Amino acid sequence: MTPTREALALHGGKPVRDTLLPYGRQSLDESDIQAVVDTLRSDWLTTGPKVVEFEEAFAAGVGARYGISFSSGTAALHGAAFAAGIGTGDEAITSPLTFAATANCLLYQGGKPVFADVCRDTLNLDPSRVASLVTSRTKALLPVDYAGHPADLNSFLDIAERHGLTLIEDACHALGAEYRDKKVGSIAHMTVFSFHPVKHLTTGEGGMVTTDDAGFAETLRKFRNHGINTGARERQREGQWHYEMVLLGYNYRLTDIACALGLSQLSKLEENLSRRREIAARYTTELRNIPGVVIPQVRNDASPAWHLYPIRVDSEKLSAGREEIFRALRAENIGVNVHYIPVHLHPYYKDRFGYRGAEFPIAENAYESLISLPMFHGMTDQDIGDVIEAVTRVAMHFMS
Ligand SMILES: Cc1ncc(COP(=O)(O)O)c(C=O)c1O
């Protein structure tokens, strides 16, 4: 029997697309490639002029005084945890609905993540649950801008000020986002970004911390360079061989090759952001009335950067749960994904801290229903249309 157009691909029908549309991917053009090639031909492959140029341009772009590059967003988070003074037995309060790296950076320092549940609308750390968790061991607050929607930063700044804490914002999803007309990167004491290929700007692997605090900037620079107080380029320039290691750091440096790519990508950030906003607006318009599909909510004081477009499946309105809807969309060749398994439910965290589930019901219930639709600035109008068609077909099929 020839499959009909109407049957879902899951049930043997023809998929909406012939090839898989990934949930995220990089876009590189000839100017990006040329920038890397030029650096390969230069005197410096690592920690040369491109690092400083990229850091300065990036910091200026988000409205911060300093930008300190790292070899990944994870390394940048580790640097921020160190600079915030997190040591053995210290705590920071964070969101369970995030990538494990957010919480892991505290463990690297011998500290402990203390999770609090998230807000129902944005799925960001809920400030109203945070204040009561602050103890004499708390050193930092570590909210995450889930999917690119800024966390409620003013509330966290208030709590941080009241208790003498450092506000580290995990903005790995939120480059280009705005909160109350201020750019993410210029608000928290330290803001952490990632340049993984699915992000708004890529350097392959890479990350950055932005800050207005000269002390944090200095510590971060040392921490990513073995704890050494000068860079190789400075020493060469000044004809000096002498350096001192003053703290226990790591080799978390981002190369000149990567920073050349970062600079080239930075020049396209605004364009890429507007494309992501266009894609989100079209998803929102065309999916908001589809039964069983709950679109992401945006607060009035936020302009998200749309790293992800996570929908929630309302299983009361459909005869299928998230797993089946996920499989049905995959069968249509739509590369959906799930962000995230709550951190405390990973085996490592369960074994080490004794979590069993049901500790953070809003995050856990959200996780059970979340599906991230493809979202990257290189998507064509046809790609967007395919996603909308597939989601609509699948939801209509399972309408109860
Ligand atoms: C919220 C969040 N924090 C941290 C990271 C770690 O960034 P990286 O992959 O650059 O190490 C990621 C990575 O995707 C992330 O999504």
Side-chain angles (χ1 to χ4, degrees), residues 72-74 77 98-99 101-102 144 170 172-173 194 196 199 206 340:
S72 68
T74 304
L77 278 166
T98 183
F99 185 57
T102 311
V144 178
D170 181 340
C172 286
H173 294 186
S194 160
H196 179 277
K199 302 288 166 36
Y340 289 96

Side-chain angles (χ1 to χ4, degrees), residues 320-379:
R322 192 267 306 272
E323 299 310 316
E324 200 168 359
I325 302 291
F326 182 94
R327 279 192 293 111
L329 290 169
R330 275 289 184 147
E332 300 294 344
N333 274 325
I334 304 300
V336 284
N337 210 323
V338 171
H339 298 91
Y340 289 96
I341 298 170
V343 179
H344 66 290
L345 299 183
H346 283 293
Y348 180 87
Y349 277 85
K350 282 178 146 177
D351 292 349
R352 181 158 169 185
F353 297 105
Y355 293 113
R356 291 160 184 277
E359 285 92 358
F360 309 107
I362 302 174
E364 292 173 36
N365 287 337
Y367 161 62
E368 297 293 340
S369 66
L370 281 166
I371 294 182
S372 303
L373 301 184
M375 169 56 85
F376 55 97
H377 37 269
M379 282 175 78

